[in-house]
Amino acid sequence: MDALGKVRRTHDNNSLTAADAGREVVLTGWAQRRRDHGGVIFVDLRDREGITQIVFNPERDPAVHEKAKAIRGEYVLGVRGIVSLRPEGMENPNLETGAVEVLVSELWIFNTATTPPFMIEDQLEVSESLRLQYRWLDLRRPRMVRNMTVRHKASRFVREFLNEHGFLEMETPFLTKSTPEGARDYLVPSRVNPGLFYALPQSPQLFKQLLMMAGYERYYQVVRCFRDEDLRADRQPEFTQIDMEMSFVGEEDIMDLSERMIAGLFDAVLGVTVPLPFQRITYETAMDLYGSDKPDLRFGLPLCDVTDIVAKSGFKVFAEAALRGGIVKALNAKGASELSRKDLDDLTRFVSVYGAKGLAWIKVKEKDWQSPIAKFFSDDEKAALSQKIGMEQGDLVFFVADTKKVVNEALGHLRLQMAERMKLIEDECFAFAWVTEFPLMEYDETEKRNVALHHPFTAPMDEDLALLESEPARVRSRAYDMVLNGTEIGGGSIRIHQRPMQEKIFSALSIEPSEAEEKFGFLLSALASGAPPHGGLAFGFDRLIAILCGEKSIRDVIAFPKTQKAACLMTQAPSPVSALQLTELSLRVSRPE
RNA sequence: GGGGGCGUAGUACAGUUGGUUAGUACGCCGGCCUGUCACGCCGGAGGUCGCGAGUUCGAGUCUCGUCGCUCCCGCCA
């Protein structure tokens, strides 16, 4: 084993070209692969940047060649040698450095390596749990290096953009106060205050508002947030937000700045030109047309409300849904009438997940409809349906009848499913949109009260203020979500900046004045002491990077992510702690049997 | 909390109706090979079939439980 000593590389492994031929260079890196021909030995030397082929020739230097026989996969090497053009016909077009190779005159083996449990290459077939267990090896794979590099470039671009637009990057506490609304908090026990707890922030929401009240005008932070809820492919217990807030602005200012930032980011990272401004769509329209508040606009397939047409029909399922205040909507899968009975059964099971009790369908054939429900409709009803839905020969039309919520959930997801099946989604297509005019609150059946849809500090729309007491569910908010390809990548709002309004909203959310004072007293006090009009936005950085990288899971753009059970397979966190630690924290653990 | 999928050499998989010695590929080790780049050829080692019970003359295979990974529902302002 050789010491590093004064050995320093002159180039990384992605930079040598034909122009460097004849130069003496020093390279360092990992042995990706060794090809021993008995005589000459080739080694692919890999680092973060790429691969360079190094050559050991016994005729050139027998001692070095002998030493090179010991090289195995992932050994850490340094070499000194002469850059040389490869013999004609021996160039490797797959490598950036494929025109040249380095003829080694000196070899240092800085470290050996155990045989890795999986190969360090992109086209690997290995379970994710093994990758997570040996994450330091997984992170050596070029694709992961690429993902981490994109992440770095993105955060760097965002910082520079916001810096140039007068924003201050400011930090906010991680040890903070548990608040009643929203997600479950991660709690941290306080040793010096026995029995009391901090909460890790779900977002720096209140702090950034307080910074506006403190007069900082423009704030941002690339910040970790924590939510103790169950995980998904796009949800981790700790995740990163680009958090920003501005004073003396309205919705348009924030949306305009944000979309220019995102367009700049896509240009800087992917070289993709994103047309501005983004499409705007109201919550109501999004739900009507796409059954979702984060519609995927890369394709059409809009939903169609047919409640009026079928309300009086002989098909009881539809008529009764309408009678009970529900709705009936249709999804026209253009040209999909060739789906088999089994496909339709599968899709029925697919929508049942979202609470749909059934999935009616009509195949539009040459002369008539092929459908189990066609017989229930009069000729007039058929004509009206056909016209409203735009039914043409070869179409397959789905229907769901239920409450508004179930119908939209079921058909909204069916729409995505069908688009995938019908291959309607182009690669490299980025459909951005703003969704606006969200409801301010909605009734929560389990809590038996109104809860904020966004958060309780979101301002209501002025024109809906009159409804606040009479019909609170109809009050729209000054919130906006940025949606990309069916993923919510950011969201924000204009905030309440006057104490009486904030108290009114707390009251509408059934938060008692005493509780409001206890939990948010500092906010109420600050609102009364010269709070400027303000608003902001937070981007889900991990989701954004996953889309930029073309990854399905945000785990692939986080260096050390957690599993679905919120565990780190590498460190084995979470883990038990000593009795002493618990005693110091005044904690006793009771575990259910 | 609930539903689906997966779990067999280091890795990815195959394994028939429950049947006697659990295979294949890659990787690994050894030998040969002076222009490969997924080098090639020859040989070899390597298995708690996730774990635990049960059924059976006999379980990788069937049953139950359990653990882990994953996708989804609930949840995630």
Side-chain angles (χ1 to χ4, degrees):
Chain A
M1 215 88 69
D2 301 303
L4 179 65
K6 290 204 162 62
V7 179
R8 296 293 180 271
R9 75 171 185 199
T10 57
H11 297 76
D12 67 56
N13 288 322
N14 207 41
S15 57
L16 295 178
T17 66
D20 297 301
R23 293 174 74 158
E24 186 185 73
V25 298
V26 176
L27 301 179
T28 54
W30 286 259
Q32 171 76 12
R33 210 179 283 276
R34 174 188 59 118
R35 290 175 294 278
D36 184 344
H37 287 253
V40 69
I41 297 173
F42 300 98
V43 172
D44 293 333
L45 193 66
R46 185 199 70 237
D47 62 14
R48 196 178 85 186
E49 309 299 331
I51 282 177
T52 301
Q53 174 166 281
I54 57 180
V55 187
F56 299 91
N57 193 317
E59 287 171 4
R60 194 180 171 83
D61 195 322
V64 171
H65 175 262
E66 190 59 29
K67 188 174 182 181
K69 284 183 178 173
I71 295 170
R72 294 291 181 275
E74 300 309 306
Y75 275 28
V76 186
L77 310 177
V79 295
R80 185 194 309 280
I82 303 293
V83 181
S84 163
L85 288 178
R86 293 192 183 192
E88 208 174 320
M90 297 300 159
E91 299 87 357
N92 185 345
N94 299 320
L95 293 183
E96 291 288 322
T97 60
V100 296
E101 57 195 4
V102 172
L103 308 179
V104 179
S105 54
E106 199 168 358
L107 167 68
W108 299 276
I109 298 179
F110 298 127
N111 211 346
T112 59
T114 51
T115 302
F118 52 85
M119 281 176 284
I120 311 302
E121 57 189 28
D122 280 343
Q123 58 279 18
L124 89 175
E125 289 172 341
V126 60
S127 71
E128 192 173 2
S129 45
L130 203 71
R131 290 175 52 201
L132 292 177
Q133 189 185 341
Y134 296 92
R135 190 59 158 181
W136 63 90
L137 297 178
D138 190 43
L139 287 167
R140 287 182 191 169
R141 294 167 45 228
R143 175 139 190 139
M144 293 303 285
V145 173
R146 197 273 316 243
N147 291 356
M148 296 305 130
T149 306
V150 165
R151 192 177 174 112
H152 160 74
K153 281 184 183 159
S155 68
R156 181 182 151 162
F157 176 89
V158 163
R159 282 194 165 95
E160 279 174 8
F161 181 93
L162 293 173
N163 293 345
E164 280 165 20
H165 286 79
F167 285 74
L168 291 189
E169 182 171 14
M170 298 178 76
E171 290 166 281
T172 52
F174 276 5
L175 297 176
T176 178
K177 185 179 165 111
S178 181
T179 52
E181 302 281 297
R184 204 175 284 121
D185 286 320
Y186 273 100
L187 295 178
V188 180
S190 168
R191 177 181 57 80
V192 292
N193 301 280
L196 303 186
F197 293 83
Y198 302 97
L200 302 179
Q202 298 173 24
S203 83
Q205 182 60 37
L206 287 171
F207 290 102
K208 68 175 172 177
Q209 287 191 237
L210 269 296
L211 288 174
M212 294 305 102
M213 297 171 205
Y216 283 79
E217 287 203 36
R218 292 186 171 205
Y219 139 95
Y220 81 94
Q221 189 178 190
V222 180
V223 63
R224 198 70 56 82
C225 302
F226 306 85
R227 293 179 191 173
D228 187 5
E229 296 293 346
D230 287 344
L231 279 56
R232 290 285 190 282
D234 62 352
R235 285 181 357 210
Q236 283 275 303
E238 49 179 315
F239 60 98
T240 303
Q241 284 189 346
I242 302 166
D243 193 49
M244 47 201 271
E245 196 79 3
M246 307 164 77
S247 294
F248 304 109
V249 292
E251 291 92 323
E252 291 301 324
D253 304 287
I254 296 170
M255 288 193 270
D256 174 68
L257 182 100
S258 314
E259 65 187 28
R260 281 193 289 122
M261 180 175 86
I262 294 299
L265 175 63
F266 271 69
D267 186 32
V269 175
L270 294 182
V272 168
T273 304
V274 178
L276 293 176
F278 294 173
Q279 184 180 345
R280 312 280 163 101
I281 177 171
T282 65
Y283 172 87
E284 191 180 7
T285 307
M287 295 306 288
D288 281 352
L289 289 180
Y290 308 109
S292 167
D293 63 357
K294 43 180 169 45
D296 192 334
L297 299 174
R298 285 176 294 180
F299 56 94
L301 295 187
L303 310 186
C304 180
D305 192 321
V306 296
T307 315
D308 291 347
I309 299 173
V310 300
K312 300 228 161 51
S313 75
F315 187 39
K316 273 192 185 160
V317 174
F318 285 7
E320 280 174 12
L323 200 65
R324 288 202 202 99
I327 56 169
V328 184
K329 278 173 120 177
L331 170 68
N332 187 354
K334 301 296 289 183
S337 70
E338 295 311 310
L339 257 62
S340 70
R341 188 58 203 239
K342 183 182 172 300
D343 291 330
L344 292 167
D345 287 346
D346 288 346
L347 291 171
T348 304
R349 212 170 308 122
F350 175 81
V351 295
S352 74
V353 168
Y354 306 99
K357 290 172 214 58
L359 180 66
W361 50 268
I362 295 170
K363 288 180 177 176
V364 185
K365 296 291 182 184
E366 209 169 324
K367 276 267 158 49
D368 54 352
W369 291 354
Q370 181 188 330
S371 166
I373 63 166
K375 61 190 172 207
F376 296 113
F377 299 114
S378 68
D379 287 346
D380 283 352
E381 286 163 347
K382 284 186 184 175
L385 281 176
S386 182
Q387 207 239 329
K388 178 131 194 212
I389 301 167
M391 288 160 68
E392 295 174 307
Q393 190 185 323
D395 289 355
L396 170 60
V397 182
F398 296 102
F399 298 87
V400 173
D402 211 300
T403 61
K404 202 168 183 177
K405 186 172 188 297
V406 168
V407 169
N408 281 330
E409 290 262 316
L411 284 181
H413 282 96
L414 184 64
R415 173 176 173 269
L416 300 177
Q417 176 75 15
M418 289 309 296
E420 199 169 314
R421 270 177 182 253
M422 296 161 73
K423 305 212 186 318
L424 298 180
I425 302 171
E426 291 173 49
D427 291 344
E428 295 288 307
C429 173
F430 299 103
F432 288 92
W434 287 104
V435 179
T436 61
E437 298 180 26
F438 280 81
L440 186 66
M441 51 186 93
E442 63 182 352
Y443 190 70
D444 185 310
E445 290 294 341
T446 48
E447 293 196 40
K448 302 289 179 209
R449 65 176 186 99
N450 287 313
V451 297
L453 202 76
H454 191 55
H455 56 56
F457 320 110
T458 300
M461 283 175 64
D462 288 342
E463 48 266 60
D464 291 352
L465 281 177
L467 300 168
L468 202 51
E469 275 165 33
S470 53
E471 294 180 86
R474 282 189 53 203
V475 177
R476 291 165 298 167
S477 72
R478 298 178 68 182
Y480 33 81
D481 277 1
M482 189 189 284
V483 171
L484 167 56
N485 295 353
T487 300
E488 181 205 324
I489 58 169
S493 62
I494 298 299
R495 328 295 185 189
I496 297 163
H497 72 284
Q498 289 162 336
R499 176 165 181 153
M501 176 59 71
Q502 186 66 71
E503 287 174 330
K504 234 187 236 179
I505 298 298
F506 281 155
S507 156
L509 295 170
S510 308
I511 299 173
E512 295 296 318
S514 59
E515 188 187 1
E517 192 56 46
E518 182 202 334
K519 301 287 187 185
F520 304 115
F522 63 100
L523 176 73
L524 291 170
S525 177
L527 285 171
S529 52
H534 65 285
L537 186 91
F539 287 98
F541 191 58
D542 310 283
R543 288 182 186 178
L544 194 54
I545 304 306
I547 292 171
L548 285 170
C549 291
E551 296 289 2
K552 283 208 171 69
S553 163
I554 63 170
R555 290 187 299 274
D556 285 323
V557 297
I558 296 173
F560 300 102
K562 298 203 169 32
T563 68
Q564 199 163 41
K565 284 238 167 72
C568 173
L569 295 182
M570 189 179 78
T571 62
Q572 298 284 302
S575 56
V577 296
S578 70
L580 177 64
Q581 285 173 293
L582 289 175
T583 306
E584 280 187 333
L585 295 169
S586 312
L587 293 179
R588 251 203 324 266
V589 175
S590 71
R591 206 167 308 162
E593 287 309 309

